[in-house]
Amino acid sequence: MSLSLPAVTALVVGRLETDVEGQAVRARLGAGAGSIIRAEDLGRIEVPARPLLAYRRNPVPTLERVVRILTLTWWIYDDREQGHWRIDDLLGEIPLAYEARRLDQQSGGVIGDVAVGDAGEQRFDATLGLNISWIRVYITAG
Amino acid sequence: MSAEDLSGIDDAIAWLTAFPALVPAAAATALEGVAQAMTNDAQATARYQDDTGATRASTIAYTHDATGVVEGAGLVGAAYQGAETYNGDHAVVEEVPDPAAPGGVTVVLTTFTDYTDDLVTMQGGARDFLGSTLTQHAGALHDAATRGVADLFGGAG
């Protein structure tokens, strides 16, 4: 069964932005849910309080218009003077939010496995002047 | 020779003996076509600033196995020269990674610049043209490898 891109994306983001299971993640952000933005807005709007999360849904491979896997990257930014310790804490906390309860799809396909991993290396984004790392969420159709 | 050409037990034994070496060769041949398409798409991107032309000129996808670059070694050299010509201070020769498995074939998509990693990560992946190209062609890579091996069996598959 094909996954609904907007519906599943909203679920994945909502887990950290609004769900109770994402509360521990929000508590580690500079301005709670206000520090969660779309990656497309980086460089276009004022960067919210750090640490911040920026999400981007990755390109989706399709076969005959059927979406069987969807991946979303959480980009984690923090001020350079903070080093990477707060980013590392978030890298550990984010998977727990997804493990706490299955994503419950109301419409647009059945969600199967949810995996969180592929944490990125410690890098510096010279464009934004912030430290950065990332972690990916993998959703497969049930 | 494919499986359907076998005419006797000696042929079959010879074919089975050679089979482990035939598989990566067949896959590599099929993957080469996809690699060329990946190169074309990655070079056509508008996702990065293209200040010097070095990134575009040095973008290439190629296949390699345990013996080195399977085909297009000259193209790899030309890609490096592209970076050297347009932005020599940032041209680097990347090490060819080992194949994923012994006897395996790897498709590499890269550029020969020292800022490739930054392009992939900066601004939350806003300029990542490599990841999107890989995803776009993931299905074609899988199909090509499968088709190449299936051809060894006379095209079944």
Side-chain angles (χ1 to χ4, degrees):
Chain A
M1 179 178 289
S2 184
L3 293 170
S4 163
L5 293 178
V8 177
T9 301
L11 280 172
V12 175
V13 175
R15 174 52 50 96
L16 300 191
E17 199 169 44
T18 55
D19 288 355
V20 65
E21 292 83 1
Q23 175 55 39
V25 171
R26 292 193 292 276
R28 294 180 182 276
L29 300 178
S35 289
I36 298 177
I37 62 174
R38 298 181 306 169
E40 300 94 89
D41 289 333
L42 288 168
R44 294 207 308 221
I45 65 173
E46 184 177 352
V47 178
R50 277 76 64 194
L52 71 88
L53 297 177
Y55 63 89
R56 185 190 300 277
R57 195 181 67 217
N58 301 315
V60 179
T62 60
L63 182 63
E64 296 175 345
R65 298 194 300 269
V66 174
V67 178
R68 299 194 181 283
I69 186 167
L70 179 156
T71 64
L72 182 143
T73 302
W74 285 107
W75 299 88
I76 311 169
Y77 281 93
D78 201 359
D79 297 317
R80 192 169 199 180
E81 57 268 27
Q82 291 291 339
H84 277 262
W85 72 276
R86 299 196 300 193
I87 291 176
D88 290 344
D89 282 348
L90 284 159
L91 286 172
E93 196 70 53
I94 289 172
L96 301 180
Y98 290 96
E99 291 168 9
R101 179 173 59 87
R102 286 183 58 84
L103 293 173
D104 186 17
Q105 172 93 319
Q106 300 298 317
S107 62
V110 176
I111 291 178
D113 292 332
V114 177
V116 185
D118 286 348
E121 60 186 309
Q122 296 180 338
R123 294 190 59 80
F124 176 69
D125 187 331
T127 304
L128 297 173
L130 297 170
N131 285 337
I132 183 177
S133 191
W134 63 92
I135 193 165
R136 295 194 172 93
V137 182
Y138 298 83
I139 309 290
T140 54
Chain B
M1 176 182 287
S2 70
E4 64 181 2
D5 300 321
L6 304 179
S7 60
I9 189 67
D10 290 340
D11 273 0
I13 291 173
W15 187 78
L16 288 171
T17 302
F19 188 75
L22 295 175
V23 170
T29 299
L31 289 169
E32 189 64 32
V34 183
Q36 183 58 58
M38 292 171 68
T39 300
N40 294 342
D41 283 351
Q43 288 181 339
T45 188
R47 297 192 71 165
Y48 52 81
Q49 291 180 325
D50 202 18
D51 290 333
T52 67
T55 305
R56 197 179 305 280
S58 69
T59 295
I60 187 171
Y62 61 91
T63 60
H64 80 92
D65 61 16
T67 66
V69 177
V70 177
E71 288 187 38
L75 296 176
V76 172
Y80 170 74
Q81 282 302 319
E84 181 71 27
T85 299
Y86 291 104
N87 199 355
D89 290 344
H90 292 280
V92 295
V93 177
E94 301 209 1
E95 289 186 17
V96 176
D98 292 332
V105 179
T106 300
V107 178
V108 178
L109 172 64
T110 191
T111 78
F112 291 96
T113 66
D114 63 3
Y115 50 78
T116 300
D117 288 352
D118 286 338
L119 284 176
V120 170
T121 59
M122 67 172 51
Q123 283 186 272
R127 299 177 188 175
D128 178 18
F129 67 108
L130 297 177
S132 58
T133 302
L134 281 170
T135 304
Q136 179 184 346
H137 290 273
L141 288 169
H142 175 270
D143 291 347
T146 304
R147 187 175 63 252
V149 176
D151 285 345
L152 291 174
F153 294 92

